[in-house]
């Protein structure tokens, strides 16, 4: 290598042999990592040492650092001074300016030719009489790469031995790690461990270049790969013998040659360090030497010579001029970022190189995969890092703008230029058709994102991490007013500080910022209004503040649109959705009403899905669904009465209609409990009694104990001295809960109706009249179903099945059934609410009377009556009436009991008549029925229509009289029924 005089442009360390670099930059702190990834097998120090070895070997055959040494490698290329440096700019030690620094706009450091870098500055104090010789470019490179003199000397000796007999061989045809392994011996290292580590580094380098990151596709099961892996495993354990007679060395050599010397389009080429990303990372290590170690923001004045020497590594690393430009732009940008963005000239230099990169990208095809990866990786990382700051530019540069606005704007301008230049190149590379307004679109994105970020910070600082939205702030209205004021100040600051700069790339930056802030505040305003259900003074203040903000932002947008000539601002104005404060009140009323109705309907739906009709407590004998629904309805009407708006009268019909629909649906749901017919036993077919003999009657008395109903399905056993337990089933109890629920709804709907009348200036008459009517009807229905279930299901064994059954009337009287009935009535009164007790007891009375009549008229084959049984039956019915007259404190008035008992009493009176009288009465009733039906014939002997499904008993009805005859146990009735209707005897 030739020696050249070097002017002092950097401050060198007193010792270039230090193993650690105290000036190492903290790239992690700068949030900037390598865009090309990493080489797993090699660390940063190993990569730097490898890069220097490749550099040294590439320059070994050159006797000078003239441009002619490498001009033949890229003959015919035309490039800018940045990408094609010319060495020898200085002649005979004279001082000339660096062409590259001049092209990049970097300042020269030298001021006088007396500031000359000499070897004595780095090799210790000069001996007396010893002349100070200038440093060569290679020595400068060694110091920049932080390589020790011992390592450099060892490398020189090794390469000298390696090139003996290989004169004229190109460096790019030599596999450097393999040559080093052959030439270097353990004796040249301090100890065996250092040699082993060095040897294993060379093996790992070969693995990275030939196997892990090959430039050409490689089959991992290739025989050479397998042989190489065996040698590598052996080297990992201990240092291998590298002599000529070593089998391991022969195997390694054969494997390396097989992997490195593969045909490439018919030309001879050695591929061992030109695979991505290994080649890009090694090349970046070399390019980083252009920065002064002591002053990282300074580019050496010898950058022309250094880059010319580094260019000699292109054939080995597979680097082209286009790849060099990308890597050089990345290195300049990386240094600018890592040095705290304190030197704008570095960023400006990166922008200058990016201009060459853009020109290369237009002419470069898509077949060069390495170039594509390097380009997208480096420029993508530059764009990503820059945009990460630009998306929050207001917060990052606002404080600086207050102190040194020019510095802040200059830093932001640099980032904008870098991001847009790199992004445009990437976009053109990735997409065949890139929009012409790429820069405008990206700046539009920066403005919107930065405004949203700043607005969010203001919001969080004013609300305590969104505290008012979660209900922790005592006065959210004050927060909203302050937020509106701060948002307006933010827009003013943006227009004053940043919009003039942004206008270089965007025609309407003020309009974009104003529209963005308008939308951000609109989102918060809508969220705030979503939590407000009534109009208050606080809400009025917030709406006024929002109106002022909207007018200010609209004025900014209009002024910016007036200055815009391409119509883009007018399109931005169209994105501003008005708050429409004037219509908020009306919409708020409607939204409040819809929300309340929605909550009530959700409550109704939950009740339909989960209600089990279990009372909440003894004090509150109704389910939780009714309480929740009525609570929501009361709260709705209370809030409605507090709304300070005269327009609320217009929504009263809609509110009442919505509530009434829900009430009626809930009432229908409560009343959906079946019908009483499902509990009535079927009417048995008409037959005539068998007249039992005296012996058969004695036998029945012996078999069945007196005064006992037959045991059916768990009916109480024992005589009359055993008090029966209440027989109300759980299903009947749930019906009582439904009855309580309906009365609960009735009571509260009355109260709601009253409150509505007092709060509205013109309330409708009986607003909930349909609900009240539906509830009253439902009460009657549920009470009726519960009564029939109690009498015909729960009490069937003691009443319908047990009364007067299978024995004489005297042996199956009503007393046991009355005891059970009284127990059930007591339980009913204890379960039902006070308002529900009268109707429930009255319906039980009706059902009991119906059951008593069915015992007398449709009791089936087990029952028969004689004329002499009338007195006992009459006495039993009086006892049954008395049970209801004495139930509770006048729950059923005596006149009501007497009115409901008229039919049953008439039937009992029929039982007192002689059989002949009954036959005559039946004939007369039949004649009246035929005459009423339009038959016109007085055929008393004709059979009446037997309404077997009818249960409307009447002493004057022929069917009722006929059933009395069918249950009459005497010969006259038997013969009449046989002769007239051919009815069979009971079996």
């Amino acid at each position: 290598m030739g020696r050249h005089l070097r002017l002092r442009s950097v401050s060198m360390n007193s010792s270039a042999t230090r193993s650690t670099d105290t000036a190492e930059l903290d790239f992690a702190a700068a949030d900037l990592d390598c865009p090309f990834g990493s080489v797993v097998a090699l660390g940063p120090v190993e990569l730097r040492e490898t890069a220097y070895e490749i550099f040294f070997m590439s320059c070994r055959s050159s006797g000078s650092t003239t441009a002619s040494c490498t001009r033949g490698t890229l003959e015919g290329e035309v490039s800018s001074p940045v990408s094609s440096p010319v060495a020898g700019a200085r002649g005979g030690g004279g001082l000339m300016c660096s062409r590259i620094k001049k092209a990049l706009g970097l300042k020269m450091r030298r001021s006088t030719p007396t500031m000359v870098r000499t070897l004595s500055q780095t090799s210790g104090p000069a001996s007396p009489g010893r002349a100070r010789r200038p440093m060569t470019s290679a020595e400068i490179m060694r110091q920049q790469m932080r390589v020790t003199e011992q390592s450099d000397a060892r490398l020189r000796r090794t390469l000298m031995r390696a090139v003996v007999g290989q004169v004229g061989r190109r460096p790019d045809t030599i596999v450097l790690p393999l040559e080093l392994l052959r030439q270097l011996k353990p004796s040249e290292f301090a100890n065996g461990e250092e040699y082993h580590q060095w040897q294993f580094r060379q093996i790992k380098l070969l693995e990275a270049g030939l196997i892990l990151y090959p430039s050409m596709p490689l089959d991992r099961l290739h025989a050479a790969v397998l042989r190489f892996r065996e040698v590598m495993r052996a080297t990992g354990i201990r240092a291998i013998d590298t002599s000529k007679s070593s089998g391991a060395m022969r195997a390694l050599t054969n494997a390396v040659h097989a992997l490195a010397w593969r045909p490439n389009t018919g030309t001879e080429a050695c591929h061992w360090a030109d695979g991505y990303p290994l080649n890009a990372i090694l090349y970046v290590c070399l390019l980083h030497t252009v920065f002064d170690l002591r002053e990282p923001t300074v580019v050496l004045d010898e950058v022309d010579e250094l880059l010319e020497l580094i260019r000699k590594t292109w054939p080995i690393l597979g680097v082209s001029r286009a790849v060099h430009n990308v890597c050089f732009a990345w290195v300049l940008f990386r240094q600018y970022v890592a040095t705290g963005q304190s030197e704008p000239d570095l960023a400006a230099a990166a922008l200058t190189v990016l201009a060459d990169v853009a020109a290369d990208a237009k002419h470069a095809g898509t077949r060069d995969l390495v170039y594509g990866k390097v380009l997208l990786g480096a420029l993508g990382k530059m764009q990503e890092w820059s945009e990460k700051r630009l998306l929050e530019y207001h917060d990052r540069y606002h404080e600086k703008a207050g102190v040194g606005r020019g510095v802040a704007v200059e830093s932001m301008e640099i980032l904008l230029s870098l991001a847009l230049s790199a992004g445009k190149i990437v976009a053109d590379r990735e997409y065949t058709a890139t929009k012409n307004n790429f820069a405008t679109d990206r700046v539009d994105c920066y403005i919107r994102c930065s405004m949203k970020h700043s607005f969010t910070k203001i919001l969080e600082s004013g609300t305590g991490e969104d505290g008012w939205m979660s209900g922790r702030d005592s006065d959210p209205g004050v927060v909203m007013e302050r937020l509106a004021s701060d948002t307006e100040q933010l827009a003013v600051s943006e227009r004053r500080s940043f919009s003039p700069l942004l206008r270089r790339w965007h025609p309407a930056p003020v309009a974009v910022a104003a529209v963005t802030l308008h939308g951000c505040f609109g989102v918060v305003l809508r969220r705030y209004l979503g939590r407000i259900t009534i109009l208050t003074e606080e809400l009025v203040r917030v709406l006024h503040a929002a109106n002022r903000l909207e007018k200010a932002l609209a004025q900014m947008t209009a002024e910016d649109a007036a200055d815009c000539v391409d119509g883009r601002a007018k399109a931005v104005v169209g994105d501003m959705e008005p708050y429409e404060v004037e219509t908020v009140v009306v919409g708020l009323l409607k939204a409040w009403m819809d929300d309340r109705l929605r909550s009530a309907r959700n409550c109704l739906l939950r009740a339909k899905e989960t209600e089990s009709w279990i009372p909440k407590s003894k004090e509150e004998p109704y389910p939780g669904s009714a309480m929740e629904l009525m609570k929501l309805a009361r709260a709705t009407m209370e809030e409605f009465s507090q709304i300070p708006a005269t327009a609320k009268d217009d929504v009263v019909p809609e509110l009442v209609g919505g509530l009434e629909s829900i009430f009626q649906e809930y009432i229908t749901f409560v009343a959906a409990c079946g019908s009483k017919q499902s509990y009535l036993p079927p009417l048995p077919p008409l037959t005539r009694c068998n007249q039992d003999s005296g012996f058969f009657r004695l036998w029945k008395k012996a078999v069945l104990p007196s005064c006992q109903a037959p045991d059916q399905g768990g009916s109480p056993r024992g005589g009359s001295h055993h008090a029966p337990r209440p027989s109300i089933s759980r299903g009947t109890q749930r019906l009582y809960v439904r009855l309580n629920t309906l009365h609960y709804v009735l009571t509260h709907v009355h109260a709601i109706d009253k409150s509505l009348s007092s709060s509205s200036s013109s309330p409708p008459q009986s607003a909930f009249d349909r609900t009240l009517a539906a509830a009253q009807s439902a009460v009657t229905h549920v009470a009726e179903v519960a009564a029939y279930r109690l009498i015909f299901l729960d009490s069937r064994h003691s009443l319908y099945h047990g009364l007067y059954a299978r024995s004489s009337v005297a042996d199956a009287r009503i007393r046991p059934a009355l005891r059970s009935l009284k127990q059930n009535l007591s339980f009913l009164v204890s379960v039902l609410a006070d308002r529900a007790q009268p109707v429930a007891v009255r319906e039980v009375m009706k059902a009991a009377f119906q059951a008593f009549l069915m015992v007398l008229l449709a009791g089936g084959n087990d029952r028969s009556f004689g004329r002499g049984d009338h007195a006992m039956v009459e006495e039993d019915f009086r006892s049954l009436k008395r049970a209801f007259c004495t139930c509770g404190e006048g729950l059923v008035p005596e006149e009501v009991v007497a009115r409901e008992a008229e039919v049953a009493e008439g039937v009992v009176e029929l039982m007192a008549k002689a059989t002949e009288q009954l036959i005559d009465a039946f004939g007369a009733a039949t004649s009246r029925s035929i005459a009423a039906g339009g038959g016109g014939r007085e055929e008393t002997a004709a059979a009446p229509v037997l309404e077997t499904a009818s249960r409307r008993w009447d002493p004057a009805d022929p069917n009722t009289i006929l059933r009395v005859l069918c249950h009459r146990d005497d010969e006259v009735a038997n013969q009449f029924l046989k002769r007239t209707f051919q009815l069979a005897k009971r079996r």
Side-chain angles (χ1 to χ4, degrees):
M1 293 186 178
R3 301 174 182 272
H4 298 273
L5 291 176
R6 299 291 182 264
L7 300 181
R8 182 180 179 84
S9 62
V10 294
S11 300
M12 287 296 182
N13 233 347
S14 60
S15 174
T17 62
R18 57 183 180 175
S19 60
T20 60
D21 180 19
T22 58
E24 195 72 57
L25 300 177
D26 188 4
F27 294 100
D31 192 20
L32 189 66
D33 51 4
C34 181
F36 314 117
S38 62
V39 178
V40 179
L42 300 171
V45 176
E46 294 173 319
L47 288 170
R48 188 171 65 239
E49 292 175 352
T50 299
Y52 182 73
E53 291 170 353
I54 294 174
F55 167 81
F56 192 89
M57 185 190 71
S58 300
C59 299
R60 65 172 178 78
S61 60
S62 175
S64 65
T65 58
T66 62
S68 61
C69 295
T70 58
R71 190 166 295 132
T73 61
L74 293 173
E75 187 176 356
E77 287 189 354
V78 179
S79 60
S80 68
V82 175
S83 59
S84 180
V86 178
R90 302 173 187 84
L95 179 62
M96 295 185 67
C97 293
S98 167
R99 293 181 57 192
I100 291 180
K101 294 189 71 172
K102 183 177 180 181
L104 296 178
L106 299 174
K107 299 177 182 178
M108 298 294 295
R109 306 260 337 259
R110 301 184 183 89
S111 57
T112 62
T114 58
M115 301 175 63
V116 180
R117 183 201 305 272
T118 61
L119 185 63
S120 62
Q121 290 176 292
T122 58
S123 59
S127 300
R130 179 181 176 182
R132 295 175 178 241
R133 69 175 180 83
M135 293 180 62
T136 65
S137 298
E139 289 171 336
I140 296 176
M141 191 68 173
R142 176 183 64 78
Q143 292 188 10
Q144 291 292 100
M145 295 289 287
R146 300 186 289 280
V147 176
T148 62
E149 292 183 355
Q150 293 81 357
S151 298
D152 184 65
R154 184 170 59 204
L155 183 61
R156 287 173 181 273
R157 292 193 302 271
T158 302
L159 290 181
M160 184 63 67
R161 291 194 296 266
V163 299
V164 172
Q166 300 185 32
V167 178
R169 184 178 178 183
R170 299 197 316 271
D172 57 301
T173 62
I174 300 174
V175 182
L176 177 61
L178 189 62
E179 295 297 331
L180 294 178
L181 287 172
R182 287 172 175 168
Q183 303 298 333
L184 277 178
K185 306 302 178 183
S187 59
E188 300 188 51
F189 293 85
N191 51 59
E193 179 63 25
E194 182 181 354
Y195 174 70
H196 182 211
Q197 293 178 357
W198 174 87
Q199 189 183 76
F200 194 58
R201 174 172 72 84
Q202 301 300 328
I203 297 294
K204 289 191 295 181
L205 176 60
L206 289 172
E207 180 197 29
L210 298 174
I211 299 176
L212 297 181
Y213 312 102
S215 61
M216 301 175 64
L218 174 66
D219 182 6
R220 297 304 175 94
L221 298 180
H222 193 283
V225 175
L226 300 179
R227 293 196 301 270
F228 181 89
R229 293 291 190 193
E230 293 178 359
V231 176
M232 185 174 185
R233 280 193 295 268
T235 309
I237 299 174
R238 64 177 63 88
I240 62 173
D241 182 12
T242 58
S243 63
K244 294 182 178 180
S245 61
S246 170
M249 193 62 192
R250 285 197 301 272
L252 177 63
T253 302
N254 293 334
V256 170
H257 283 174
L259 294 172
W261 291 92
R262 286 186 287 160
N264 182 20
T265 62
T267 61
E268 183 182 11
C270 180
H271 303 278
W272 71 272
D274 55 349
Y276 180 86
L278 176 65
N279 59 345
I281 294 175
L282 292 174
Y283 192 67
V284 166
C285 290
L286 294 173
L287 290 179
H288 193 67
T289 60
V290 302
F291 300 104
D292 194 325
L293 292 179
R294 294 288 299 274
E295 298 182 46
T297 60
V298 176
V299 175
L300 296 177
D301 287 349
E302 294 83 3
V303 60
D304 302 59
E305 292 87 340
L306 293 180
L307 289 180
E308 184 66 22
L309 293 176
I310 292 172
R311 184 176 181 179
K312 296 175 182 293
T313 65
W314 288 10
I316 296 178
L317 298 178
V319 174
S320 64
R321 178 181 59 82
V323 173
H324 162 79
N325 286 338
V326 175
C327 293
F328 194 38
W330 165 252
V331 167
L332 292 170
F333 172 79
R334 179 175 180 259
Q335 196 75 3
Y336 168 71
V337 172
T339 53
Q341 307 169 59
S342 59
E343 183 53 63
D345 287 350
L346 291 177
L351 280 172
T352 302
V353 179
L354 282 179
D356 292 339
V357 173
D360 295 337
K362 289 180 180 179
H363 299 91
T366 58
R367 289 179 298 175
D368 190 348
L369 299 181
V370 173
Y371 173 68
K373 292 177 180 179
V374 172
L375 178 72
L376 297 180
L379 270 60
K381 180 63 67 173
M382 294 170 64
Q383 182 185 13
E384 176 187 351
W385 188 91
S386 302
E387 288 192 343
K388 185 176 181 181
R389 279 123 187 101
L390 290 173
L391 294 175
E392 304 172 1
Y393 68 82
H394 194 282
D395 291 337
R396 288 182 176 271
Y397 299 104
H398 184 262
E399 294 181 359
K400 294 181 180 179
V403 179
R405 179 183 172 188
V407 176
V409 172
E410 182 182 7
S411 300
M412 182 177 166
E413 182 179 5
I414 291 172
L415 279 187
L416 278 168
S417 301
L418 286 171
L420 296 176
S421 298
K424 184 66 167 61
I425 297 172
V426 171
D428 290 339
R429 176 77 179 185
E430 290 185 326
Y431 308 103
T432 55
T434 305
K435 295 181 179 179
N436 295 328
N437 55 354
F438 171 82
T440 302
D441 292 341
R442 295 310 303 160
V443 172
D444 189 285
C445 177
Y446 303 153
I447 296 174
R448 294 180 186 273
C449 291
S450 182
M451 290 298 97
K452 290 177 182 178
H453 178 77
S454 300
F455 180 86
T456 302
K457 288 192 65 176
I458 294 175
L459 178 62
E460 292 176 351
S461 64
T463 61
E465 297 183 357
D466 217 11
W468 66 269
M469 293 192 181
S470 58
R472 295 193 296 269
D473 196 286
S474 58
D475 193 357
V478 175
V479 175
M480 289 296 298
E481 292 182 72
R482 185 168 61 249
L483 180 64
S485 176
D486 293 344
T487 302
E488 184 177 354
Q489 292 300 319
L490 176 62
V492 173
S493 175
E494 173 73 13
R495 180 177 61 177
R496 180 182 64 252
S497 302
F498 301 102
S499 294
L501 170 63
L502 297 172
R503 199 176 297 277
R504 288 179 48 190
W505 294 276
H506 197 287
V510 177
V512 173
V515 170
T516 303
L517 292 177
H518 181 274
C520 290
F521 186 83
V523 172
V524 180
L525 180 62
R526 284 189 288 271
R527 291 184 61 187
Y528 168 77
L529 294 177
R531 296 174 55 87
I532 301 299
T533 55
I534 57 176
L535 290 174
T536 60
E537 294 182 1
E538 171 191 299
L539 176 61
V540 173
R541 293 198 307 269
V542 171
L543 294 178
H544 284 324
N547 193 29
R548 288 194 300 270
L549 172 64
E550 184 173 45
K551 290 181 178 179
L553 296 178
Q555 183 178 0
M556 293 182 186
T557 304
E559 293 175 354
D560 202 35
D563 298 335
C564 181
V565 295
D566 64 352
R568 187 175 182 89
K570 297 178 177 62
V572 174
V573 173
D575 297 335
M576 182 178 286
E577 183 179 353
Y579 297 148
E580 296 182 353
V581 174
E582 295 77 9
T583 61
V584 167
V585 175
V586 177
L588 187 59
L589 274 175
K590 184 67 168 58
W592 169 85
M593 184 176 63
D594 291 342
D595 179 68
R596 287 296 177 265
L597 294 178
R598 188 183 307 111
S599 299
R601 184 157 296 279
N602 290 338
C603 176
L604 172 63
L605 295 177
R606 287 194 301 272
K608 288 184 176 182
E609 295 175 357
T610 63
E611 187 56 74
S612 58
W613 305 112
I614 298 176
K616 187 174 182 181
S617 64
K618 291 184 179 181
E619 293 75 18
E620 297 175 342
Y622 22 80
S625 62
M627 300 181 66
E628 183 181 0
L629 182 60
M630 291 299 104
K631 182 179 179 181
L632 285 173
R634 289 197 309 272
T636 299
M637 300 313 299
E638 289 175 0
E639 292 180 4
F640 185 75
S641 64
Q642 297 174 1
I643 293 177
T646 57
K648 68 180 183 178
D649 290 341
D650 298 334
V651 301
V652 168
E654 188 175 356
L655 177 61
V656 171
L659 288 177
E660 193 162 38
S661 173
I662 294 172
F663 290 158
Q664 291 185 30
E665 190 172 347
Y666 184 74
I667 290 170
T668 302
F669 165 64
V670 175
C673 56
S675 63
K676 67 178 182 179
Q677 281 75 17
S678 60
Y679 299 107
L680 285 172
L683 292 178
L686 289 176
T687 58
R688 51 194 174 94
C689 287
N690 294 325
Q691 194 168 13
D692 296 336
S693 64
F695 172 78
F696 186 71
R697 293 180 180 177
L698 290 174
W699 178 80
K700 285 203 305 183
K701 288 184 178 181
V703 174
L704 294 175
S706 62
C707 200
Q708 175 188 335
D711 181 22
Q712 299 181 20
S715 61
R717 296 182 179 271
S720 60
H721 59 280
H722 287 165
R725 294 173 297 173
S727 58
I728 298 181
S729 63
R730 291 189 179 274
T732 307
Q733 295 177 30
R734 292 189 178 95
L735 291 175
Y736 292 158
V737 176
R738 289 176 183 256
L739 198 57
N740 287 336
T741 303
L742 291 171
H743 277 280
Y744 181 80
V745 171
L746 264 173
T747 302
H748 285 81
V749 170
H750 274 298
I752 292 173
D753 194 12
K754 184 178 179 180
S755 66
L756 179 62
S757 300
S758 61
S759 63
S760 180
S761 59
S762 57
Q765 298 296 327
S766 300
F768 296 96
D769 52 350
R770 290 183 298 172
T771 299
L772 298 174
Q776 290 289 0
S777 176
V779 165
T780 302
H781 172 71
V782 174
E784 185 178 54
V785 174
Y788 273 72
R789 179 184 174 92
L790 175 64
I791 295 300
F792 289 99
L793 182 64
D794 301 342
S795 305
R796 64 186 183 279
H797 301 302
S798 62
L799 186 55
Y800 181 70
H801 288 168
L803 183 62
Y804 311 143
R806 290 194 180 137
S807 62
S808 63
V809 173
D811 295 331
R813 298 285 296 276
I814 201 173
R815 185 173 297 174
L818 285 178
R819 284 198 298 267
S820 177
L821 178 62
K822 290 178 180 179
Q823 291 285 344
N824 291 336
L825 289 175
S826 298
F827 182 80
L828 179 151
V829 171
S830 66
V831 170
L832 287 175
D834 293 342
R835 292 179 177 270
Q837 292 174 10
V839 65
V841 174
R842 184 166 61 250
E843 293 300 328
V844 171
M845 177 188 68
K846 293 179 181 180
F849 291 169
Q850 179 73 2
F852 190 83
L853 285 171
M854 290 186 65
V855 168
L856 300 181
L857 302 175
N861 295 340
D862 293 336
R863 292 182 173 88
S864 63
F865 302 96
R867 185 178 181 187
D869 296 331
H870 165 263
M872 291 180 290
V873 173
E874 185 178 31
E875 181 182 356
D876 287 347
F877 188 68
R878 283 197 301 269
S879 299
L880 181 60
K881 291 195 301 180
R882 188 163 49 252
F884 290 102
C885 290
T886 59
C887 179
E889 299 180 358
L891 291 177
V892 184
E894 293 185 7
E895 59 272 15
V896 176
V897 176
R899 184 172 61 251
E900 295 295 336
E902 289 177 354
V903 176
E905 288 176 342
V907 174
V908 173
E909 290 177 0
L910 287 177
M911 297 178 67
K913 294 181 179 182
T915 302
E916 293 78 4
Q917 291 177 317
L918 288 176
I919 293 173
D920 293 339
F922 173 73
T926 301
S927 298
R928 290 193 301 270
S929 177
I930 293 175
R937 295 180 299 169
E938 297 182 1
E939 300 177 0
T940 58
V945 179
L946 303 180
E947 299 178 2
T948 57
S950 174
R951 302 175 191 271
R952 296 180 181 179
W953 314 118
D954 192 322
D957 179 57
N959 289 284
T960 303
I961 301 173
L962 180 61
R963 287 184 176 274
V964 174
L965 284 171
C966 288
H967 286 77
R968 175 62 60 91
D969 189 9
D970 61 17
E971 186 62 24
V972 177
N974 183 37
Q975 292 299 325
F976 172 76
L977 295 174
K978 178 181 180 181
R979 182 179 64 253
T980 307
F981 300 107
Q982 291 80 40
L983 294 179
K985 287 185 179 182
R986 300 181 185 176
R987 296 185 183 276

